[in-house]
Structure formats: structure tokens, C-alpha cells
Amino acid sequence: MTAFTSIGSLLSTPVLEGQVALRGWVYRTRSSGKIVFAVLRDSTGIIQVTIKKGNLPDAQFEEAVAASIESSVEVTGTMHQDGRAPGGYEVLATSFKVVGPALPFPITEYQSEELLLDNRHLWIRSREQTAVMKVKATLLAGAREWLAEQGFTEVTPPILTQNACEGGVTLFKLRYFDRDVFLSQSAQMYLESLIFALEKVYSITPSFRAEKSRTPRHLTEYWHLELEEAWTDNEGNMRIQEELVSAMVAKALKERGAELELLKRDIEPLKAVQPPFERLRYADMIALLRDKGFAIEFGADLGAAEERAITEDKGAPVFVTNFPKQCKAFYMKEDQDDPRTYKCADLLAPFGFGEVIGGSERETDLAKLLQRMEEQGIPQEPYRWYLDLRRFGSVPHSGFGMGVERMVKWVCNLEHIRDAIPYPRTVARAYP
Ligand code: 4AD
Ligand code: MG
């Protein structure tokens, strides 16, 4: 049996004596007469394979001449230094075999965004997409590692729910046998219940938002990292966030330098992502925005333009705290020092990337919760279980939700959030 070596390991530890065997897909190819230069791609990198007539059986040489882009192939050969080849090495083939031939590939160099999205199942093979997926996996691994070190337990909340955690406007309703349920917008309420057993919990689940707006930062299905901790106030909550975000970024810098370079991500600003992050009160932010010419009043929610204005000259993420109550959900804790506001914070990524996390201390006063629900016309029945949490050993607690694709968009410096997920779901698209 042949032992295949990955392209990445061949390039990092070249094998300059004896034969090597590799397999992958034809990334690009050109031939002239008696020689074929085929660049092969696998999950770890690209390398040039040079196929010379006479070095291998003629039938195999003809196979190499005919091998189209994205055909899967197996090659053996000898490895040599070559300054002109990508990575500085080439493999001189002694055997060449097409395993799965490819029809003419529908994606060529300059393509419309629509065509790329229609062919997403093929486009995800691109080097950029591959790099983004690796960075994303490393960010998630970094989060899980850090959270385990801090004593958090990963839990698995439901996706089908009767609760509208983030309000009725963006709910996807689903027929569930003889009644209606919703696709989860947030695991928060379930996480709140789980802290009574585990104290420090988090989950990584899909969340769904029926977002009608087409923006570069909204998906209808996204991955949500949510955390809830007992005995923690809003300040403690922000400390967890700044340390978690910094640990995730540090892990990506440590392990995904090559991918970030391929994505042309300037890593200097990422190195500046270190706790503590700046805290800016909403009211002070309004004053700042007014100085910048925004006609914005206390009470208005932040749009992308406002977030951009706040963060475009920041080098590191910034918390905006104490939003007015009318901007935020009913479950947040009132700030006794400024009862117009909640003890909450949004974390905005720098350079205009905007909100990546929303979080707060949670209201523990049952009467206040009931009053707000009444005012906002929220029915009590579906939340009976949630309100029980305030009746049976209620405890101060806080938590937050991080948009994983928002993090990826920022860390990889992507223009559009759809490139932070292999199969983006938006108002315009649920195929492929
Ligand atoms: O600010 P949001 O709506 O907060 C909540 O859902 C809380 N219940 C979370 C919690 O405290 N457990 O959403 C949290 C984060 C946002 O900061 C944003 O990063 C991301 O989720 N997000 C989206 N990401 C992509 N597409 C969308 N449509 C998103 N909506 C929110
Ligand atoms: Mg939010």
C-alpha cells in the first residue's frame, strides 16, 4: 500500500531522497509538447508536479496531458528544489493517475458573485474559502479550550422552542404536529436555567433570524456561541468576554498565520487585541456621534453606520454599555444608578466591523420582568418555566451571545459575512 504524504508536510519537511506519493486535485495545469506542469492542491497546500514524457509510461503521460482542472489524482515522484514553483519545490512525476476526472469546471478566474453562490458546493474548495474555514475552526477550538480552562461546561440547548428570546419580528415559525414552534434565536433562556445545575455554561448552536434586510453582516442562520454564568454581574461578564475574545484571536494568530497571510489579513492590529477592552457608556457614545455629525438622540438604537463611526478609529474592540431600555430585550437587569438603562454591553469590533457580542446582567426581580412583559404585550404562558427560575432560588447572573461568523468576518477581514460560512443562508438564498 502506498503511503501518501500531505502537500503541507512535503513543503515544510522536503523529502529530497527517494520517492514521494501524494494525492489531491488539479489546481491549474499547462502543457507544452513533452512536458506538463500541473499544480496539485490538497487540504494542506499546493505544489507543482512536473510530468515529463519518458519519465513514466506514455499512457500515464497522456492522462496527465488530458487531466482537467479539479480532477482528483494520485502521483508518485521525486522532490526537487525549484525557485519558480509555488513553495519552492516541485515533484518530478514517475507515475500519474487520474482517480476522478472533472468536467469543465464552471468556476474560472473572474466570476460574478451570483455564479459563485450558485456553485457554492464547488467554490468552497477555493483556497480562500479553505483558509477561512480553518481560521473559523481554530477560533472555535480556542474558545472551547479557554472555556474549559475556566471551568465552563458545554451544554446542548434545544433549537425548537416556544420562546421569542429576541422579539417577534425575526422569528421563523414552524408547524410542529398540531401546534406552532419557532426556530431558536438564542439559547439564552435555556442557558439561564442550566446555571442552577452547572453555574458556568456555554453552548455553540445555530441561531435563526428571519432578517429581511440584505446587509453584509446578517445571515438568517448563524452559529451562536452563548455563555451564562451564575454569581456574575455585568462587569464580570465583560471580563469574560474580553478574555475569551483575546484567547480566540491569540490562538488564530498562533496557528493560522499562513491562512491569515493567504487572506491578506494584516495581523498587526490583531496582535493588539488584549484585555482590558475600552468601555464606553451609551450616553457618552451618543455625544461622540453627535460631535461626528450624526443627528442621533438618546434612545435610538445603533445601526451599522453608527457602529462604524464609533469603531473606525479604534484599534481594539470596545464595549458600549448602558443602552436605554427601549433598545434592548425585557430580560436585562435595570441599572439602579441610571434606571433609564440596563446593565448591558455590546462588544463592537474595531475598524468598523461592529457588533460581535450582545450581553447583559439578567433581571432577577420577578415583578419587574412581569411588568415589562405586560407593557410589551409578551404572553406569560410560554415563559412560565423561565419565570420559575426567579421563583426557585434565583441568583444574580449574566451572559452573552457571540456571532461566530461576525468574529470570523472581523478576524479574516472579510467584506461580507456570507464568506464566513460554507453555505450562507440569507433572505435571497437557501441553495445549495
Ligand atoms: O445581540 P443578540 O440578538 O443577542 C442575543 O441573542 C442574546 N440573547 C444573546 C445572549 O445573551 N445569550 O445576538 C447576539 C449576537 C450579536 O452580537 C451578533 O454577533 C450575532 O449574535 N447576530 C447575528 N449574526 C449573524 N447574522 C444575524 N442575523 C445575527 N443576529 C445576531
Ligand atoms: Mg445585539
Side-chain angles (χ1 to χ4, degrees):
M1 216 181 69
T2 322
F4 293 97
T5 310
S6 75
I7 292 171
S9 88
L10 281 181
L11 290 176
S12 61
T13 337
V15 179
L16 296 175
E17 271 168 43
Q19 292 269 314
V20 297
L22 60 156
R23 56 188 167 185
W25 290 263
V26 176
Y27 182 66
R28 56 174 182 256
T29 179
R30 68 189 163 86
S31 60
S32 59
K34 297 193 161 102
I35 192 160
V36 179
F37 298 101
V39 175
L40 295 198
R41 161 185 81 69
D42 71 3
S43 62
T44 62
I46 59 172
I47 195 166
Q48 176 173 298
V49 176
T50 305
I51 306 110
K52 281 189 186 148
K53 198 177 166 99
N55 280 1
L56 69 179
D58 277 357
Q60 290 186 20
F61 178 77
E62 293 311 323
E63 229 176 297
V65 172
S68 53
I69 286 183
E70 288 304 318
S71 298
S72 58
V73 299
E74 289 178 0
V75 175
T76 59
T78 51
M79 199 174 169
H80 307 272
Q81 242 173 335
D82 179 348
R84 293 158 303 175
Y89 290 89
E90 66 159 5
V91 171
L92 199 54
T94 50
S95 79
F96 188 97
K97 178 172 143 202
V98 171
V99 175
L103 294 175
F105 205 60
I107 302 170
T108 52
E109 202 158 351
Y110 299 100
Q111 295 294 352
S112 74
E113 199 53 52
E114 277 309 292
L115 184 136
L116 293 179
L117 286 166
D118 283 340
N119 288 288
R120 193 70 170 186
H121 53 300
L122 302 175
W123 179 235
I124 48 174
R125 305 174 180 194
S126 71
R127 299 193 78 209
E128 292 76 14
Q129 291 285 317
T130 304
V132 171
M133 290 189 280
K134 287 184 183 180
V135 174
K136 186 178 196 175
T138 299
L139 288 170
L140 285 171
R144 285 195 163 98
E145 258 169 47
W146 188 84
L147 289 165
E149 275 165 24
Q150 306 301 314
F152 283 86
T153 303
E154 182 168 2
V155 294
T156 55
I159 302 298
L160 298 175
T161 174
Q162 309 210 9
N163 303 126
C165 188
E166 297 304 314
V169 187
T170 61
L171 280 177
F172 278 113
K173 195 154 79 172
L174 197 80
R175 198 68 192 145
Y176 186 75
F177 305 106
D178 58 349
R179 69 217 101 129
D180 291 331
V181 294
F182 307 120
L183 291 177
S184 173
Q185 296 168 314
S186 165
Q188 177 190 323
M189 291 177 166
Y190 296 100
L191 297 188
E192 284 187 63
S193 73
L194 287 159
I195 61 166
F196 292 83
L198 297 161
E199 295 188 46
K200 298 161 78 141
V201 298
Y202 75 97
S203 61
I204 303 178
T205 64
S207 276
F208 299 87
R209 307 279 169 108
E211 299 275 3
K212 295 241 171 61
S213 49
R214 298 164 191 245
T215 80
R217 55 187 202 154
H218 286 95
L219 295 164
T220 56
E221 177 184 301
Y222 70 96
W223 286 81
H224 208 168
L225 190 167
E226 292 178 276
L227 176 151
E228 205 68 30
E229 183 171 17
W231 316 108
T232 299
D233 64 8
N234 192 47
E235 178 53 36
N237 196 29
M238 286 190 281
R239 278 202 296 273
I240 297 170
Q241 291 169 52
E242 62 197 4
E243 287 183 25
L244 171 65
V245 166
S246 302
M248 291 168 75
V249 170
K251 172 114 170 154
L253 283 173
K254 186 163 160 242
E255 296 180 10
R256 293 297 172 199
E259 285 75 14
L260 292 169
E261 191 181 331
L262 188 140
L263 294 166
K264 302 192 172 69
R265 178 38 152 142
D266 177 7
I267 58 168
E268 287 311 313
L270 292 179
K271 290 185 188 159
V273 178
Q274 306 272 357
F277 299 161
E278 181 184 343
R279 283 124 170 92
L280 180 64
R281 289 179 74 92
Y282 170 94
D284 297 332
M285 185 205 61
I286 291 295
L288 263 170
L289 284 171
R290 291 180 68 96
D291 286 346
K292 287 185 177 234
F294 284 82
I296 191 170
E297 303 286 343
F298 185 94
D301 206 354
L302 295 188
E306 288 82 13
E307 289 185 2
R308 173 165 289 279
I310 288 300
T311 61
E312 65 194 353
D313 46 11
K314 306 269 184 215
V318 43
F319 287 112
V320 179
T321 72
N322 288 87
F323 278 81
K325 286 177 172 166
Q326 59 266 41
C327 296
K328 295 290 178 193
F330 73 96
Y331 53 69
M332 295 187 174
K333 181 151 187 83
E334 180 179 289
D335 190 341
Q336 246 119 58
D337 298 333
D338 183 358
R340 299 173 302 168
T341 70
Y342 286 136
K343 293 176 82 178
C344 66
D346 278 3
L347 183 68
L348 310 185
F351 304 107
F353 279 95
E355 181 185 341
V356 289
I357 295 182
S360 73
E361 191 167 332
R362 315 306 191 187
E363 187 59 79
T364 44
D365 184 326
L366 182 60
K368 286 205 165 103
L369 279 178
L370 289 171
Q371 191 200 332
R372 285 180 210 151
M373 290 173 74
E374 167 101 38
E375 283 164 10
Q376 297 174 29
I378 300 168
Q380 271 188 41
E381 183 49 27
Y383 297 92
R384 203 164 21 106
W385 69 273
Y386 180 69
L387 296 166
D388 264 356
L389 306 177
R390 275 64 181 168
R391 295 188 178 104
F392 296 93
S394 184
V395 66
H397 65 289
S398 302
F400 62 85
M402 169 194 291
V404 174
E405 288 76 19
R406 298 266 182 103
M407 271 295 285
V408 171
K409 179 177 186 285
W410 164 46
V411 171
C412 293
N413 194 20
L414 305 176
E415 245 166 61
H416 202 291
I417 195 167
R418 65 180 163 229
D419 287 322
I421 188 161
Y423 290 97
R425 299 293 180 241
T426 59
V427 61
R429 185 170 287 278
Y431 172 92

